[in-house]
Structures are given as structure tokens and as C-alpha cells.
Amino acid sequence: MRLAAKLLAAYKINARVEAWDGTRCHLLVAAGEDAYGAQAMALARKRGTPVVTMLGDEAPPGQDGDHAVACDVPAARLVKLLVELLESNAGAEEATESDTQERLPCVLASPRLRGKRVTIALGSVSVLIDPDSGRAYAPTHSDLLHAQDNFCKPGWTVSLGNAANLVPAQCAFAGLEPFLIAATQRGRQLLPPFPTGQYRLETWPDFGSLPSMARLMHLASALTADSCTPTALESAMGRTTSASEVGALLWALAASDLLQSAGPAPRASPAPSSRKPSRTGIWGAIARRFGLAPELG
């Protein structure tokens, strides 16, 4: 599987294989005879995530919609299947330019809502975003996970204050920054690029126990050390981080009211010249004629 993922580079697809922790992914590959694999595939099917079932001698056949392959499938055949699934799934996830501006992270990052206590709602799920306590509240932990999975999709409503009348003492909660960072990372392909400009962090974010935390912490460290542009952050990380990953983190930090605009980068003033100006006129001419220093003329 890891070999096939590396071979995807020939199709200009940058894929990363990781142990699945229940968060949103583009494709799930699991062993058909494994009990944990069966649970993971059931959750992936519920979310509409493509599933590849690796079948052994005693493994049950994959369900309708799954793509079952033998455990000893050649890497070349597996690559073709992965390309087909990833390209079809990417087409379904891409957002149009017209609707991305109303995505929830963009709305929460707007000046009129930054730092405000708001209620976000999608269908029957309501979440209270409370910057004062640094937490996100929902009736159940399942509601928080559902909100994270769909955070970057359209259809959310936003109301100032506790519109759902949630009682924080009776609610499940998550740290606000880990909640927003995880939510934007899961749906980063649906977000528009972050606006150009110079940005900085004056307060270190709470990353909690987020996956891929090392890369995100490196980005936050760069923003804390000095003001940066989104393009500069992407270049600093090289190939280990995509532009969408950088943009998603910036949207999350802005929505949590931590990201500050630093304005345009200051221009470096030219260094003063060590060369002294030469004299002009008759005294300068006399000095040059007799080999005297110009400043003595």
C-alpha cells in the first residue's frame, strides 16, 4: 500500500498513508477479515468515503460500493484503482469559487464575528462557539464530531449569542482552537485561499492532541517569530505541507481571533554610503590637480 501511494506521484497525486484515527480522509483501505477494519469501513461508508477492502483467504466479500482486492495484489494494479477513486472523489469535493466565500470558517473569520460568542447550526446540530471560555459546546460529543466533519460544507447558519440556549455545564465540549483547526483541516479542499497579506501570532494556539501536529506547530512557530505571508509559509515548509493545509490553519487561527494582520512588509532602508561626497567647483578641481583628498579642497 505504501509503495502504491509513492507511485501515485507519477499521476501528480500527492498521497500520504497514515493509520486511520476516525477523522475524515479521502480513501480508506482496510483488511476485510479484521474486526477493527470492519468497524472502520462501516463508518467510512456512512460518511460516503471510498473504501478499498483488502481480502485474505477467509475474508468476507466487500459490500456494494466497495472495491475489493486481494492482499497480494500487484502494486501497479492497486495504483490504477487508487487513481480512479481519488480523482472521482476529488471532483465531488471541489467547491466553486462563488460559494466558497460563504463557507463557515470565512464567515467566522470576518471582522464582525471575530471574538464574538456565536451559535452555528446545520440541521439538528448546534454548536456554541465561545471565545471567552476558549471552548466549543454541543449537546453531545457526537454532535461535535459531526460539526467538524461538515464544518467547511455549505448550509450553516450563524447567530450571535447562545441562540440554541445550550447549557455549557450540561454539554460536551472541546478546546476552541483544536476544534477549529481539526475542522478546517478536514475540509481544507473546500476552502478558498487565505487573503494575501502579512500575518503574525501574538498568542500560541492550543493544539490539543491533533494529528499531524508537528507540521502545524512549525507553521505557528514561524508566525510567532515574525510576520509572514501565506506564500512564504508554504515555501518555508517545502513539499511537506500543501497550500490548502496552510490556508486551512490560517482560517482557523483567524476564526479563533488569534491571527493578527501585520500590514505590508516594511521595506529595508538603504545602507548609508561610506563614500564621502566629492567637492565640486574650483576648490575641488585644485584638490584633484595636486592629488589632495577631495574633502580637503
Side-chain angles (χ1 to χ4, degrees):
M1 184 61 212
R2 294 186 182 278
L3 175 60
K6 292 180 179 179
L7 293 175
L8 287 173
Y11 295 85
K12 297 183 179 180
I13 297 177
N14 182 21
R16 185 171 61 248
V17 180
E18 294 180 348
W20 196 50
D21 57 1
T23 57
R24 183 165 296 278
C25 61
H26 292 89
L27 178 70
L28 176 69
V29 180
E33 70 275 13
D34 183 70
Y36 176 75
Q39 295 177 0
M41 288 188 288
L43 180 57
R45 295 184 194 107
K46 183 178 179 181
R47 293 177 173 176
T49 302
V51 172
V52 174
T53 307
M54 305 294 285
L55 299 178
D57 295 336
E58 300 179 358
Q63 295 189 13
D64 292 340
D66 291 359
H67 298 266
V69 295
C71 287
D72 58 352
V73 60
R77 288 182 53 192
L78 187 55
V79 167
K80 291 182 179 180
L81 175 60
L82 295 179
V83 169
E84 176 186 347
L85 294 176
L86 290 172
E87 288 183 345
S88 61
N89 194 39
E93 288 189 352
E94 286 181 356
T96 63
E97 184 177 355
S98 60
D99 68 1
T100 54
Q101 301 305 320
E102 297 302 320
R103 297 298 164 130
L104 183 57
C106 309
V107 174
L108 295 179
S110 63
R112 68 184 183 89
L113 291 181
R114 286 185 61 164
K116 301 290 182 60
R117 198 182 196 211
V118 298
T119 299
I120 59 174
L122 180 67
S124 61
V125 174
S126 296
V127 177
L128 176 63
I129 303 295
D130 188 6
D132 290 337
S133 65
R135 290 177 174 179
Y137 298 96
T140 66
H141 187 67
S142 177
D143 288 337
L144 287 173
L145 293 177
H146 182 80
Q148 283 186 329
D149 285 342
N150 298 278
F151 199 76
C152 298
K153 295 181 179 179
W156 287 90
T157 60
V158 181
S159 306
L160 284 171
N162 190 357
N165 296 319
L166 298 176
V167 182
Q170 302 174 4
C171 289
F173 65 87
L176 182 57
E177 291 140 43
F179 174 82
L180 292 173
I181 293 172
T184 53
Q185 289 297 324
R186 292 182 191 183
R188 59 181 179 265
Q189 300 296 339
L190 303 176
L191 294 176
F194 199 78
T196 57
Q198 293 277 340
Y199 301 97
R200 69 177 185 275
L201 279 175
E202 295 183 349
T203 303
W204 185 258
D206 174 16
F207 284 101
S209 57
L210 296 174
S212 304
M213 184 174 61
R215 293 193 304 277
L216 301 181
M217 289 182 67
H218 188 85
L219 291 170
S221 178
L223 286 166
T224 305
D226 196 4
S227 60
C228 301
T229 65
T231 303
L233 285 174
E234 182 186 350
S235 299
M237 293 296 292
R239 296 183 178 181
T240 61
T241 305
S242 63
S244 62
E245 194 170 4
V246 173
L249 177 63
L250 293 175
W251 282 119
L253 295 175
S256 60
D257 200 26
L258 293 183
L259 192 67
Q260 305 297 322
S261 175
R267 293 185 178 181
S269 57
S273 175
S274 59
R275 182 181 177 183
K276 296 182 179 181
S278 60
R279 291 288 188 93
T280 58
I282 187 171
W283 295 111
I286 293 173
R288 289 191 297 272
R289 172 67 178 81
F290 291 98
L292 301 175
E295 61 268 24
L296 298 178

